[in-house]
Amino acid sequence: MMVFDCGIDPGYFLDEMELFEVKSLIKRYNLNYQDKWERSRFVAFWTVKSGGSTATTPQDLISFNWEDQPVKMKAKRMSREESLKMMQEKTKSLENFNSGNTEKLNL
C-alpha cells in the first residue's frame, strides 16, 4: 500500500531501500494521511456551515488523535561544564575511531 501511495518502485522498496529511507517514507506517508483527513474535514465543515450549522471550527465536527498529542518539550539547557565534558567525550570517541578503534563510536 505504501509503495503505491508514495509512488516508490516496488523493486527499489524491497531490495535497495535502507532503513533510514523507510523511516522517512513512513513519516511522509503519515503526514500525507493526516493532510487528506484534515482537508476532508475542512470541506465538510464548510458544507455543514453553509447549511446553518453552529459549528465554529472544523475541530468541532471531528477531532483527530494526532491533535491530542502533547507538544514535545525543549531539550534541557546544559551548563558550560556539562557541555564542555560532552564535547570532550565526543572528540575522544572520534579520535579513537580515526585511529582504527571502531568498536565503539559514541556520538
Side-chain angles (χ1 to χ4, degrees):
M1 182 167 131
M2 191 181 311
V3 172
F4 299 109
D5 287 345
C6 296
I8 301 292
D9 177 48
Y12 178 75
F13 182 81
L14 294 172
D15 299 330
E16 300 174 31
M17 189 173 272
E18 300 290 331
L19 284 177
F20 72 91
E21 293 174 301
V22 173
K23 184 177 179 182
S24 296
L25 185 65
I26 291 171
K27 186 175 182 178
R28 185 67 214 157
Y29 176 79
N30 286 334
L31 287 174
N32 285 340
Y33 178 80
Q34 291 176 4
D35 186 55
K36 287 177 185 178
W37 273 103
E38 288 176 3
R39 275 187 279 136
S40 297
R41 176 177 62 182
F42 189 74
V43 169
F45 169 72
W46 284 108
T47 302
V48 299
K49 188 75 170 168
S50 66
S53 173
T54 59
T56 57
T57 65
Q59 289 80 9
D60 291 341
L61 294 179
I62 187 172
S63 63
F64 300 119
N65 62 349
W66 57 79
E67 295 173 328
D68 298 331
Q69 294 176 351
V71 176
K72 293 182 179 179
M73 300 298 290
K74 291 184 178 179
K76 176 188 155 198
R77 188 171 179 98
M78 290 190 280
S79 68
R80 187 169 194 265
E81 291 79 21
E82 291 173 326
S83 179
L84 183 61
K85 182 179 177 183
M86 183 186 71
M87 286 189 284
Q88 287 172 339
E89 289 171 357
K90 288 185 179 190
T91 302
K92 189 174 184 179
S93 178
L94 281 171
E95 287 171 350
N96 287 338
F97 181 76
N98 287 336
S99 67
N101 183 4
T102 59
E103 290 181 23
K104 185 177 179 184
L105 180 61
N106 187 15
L107 295 179

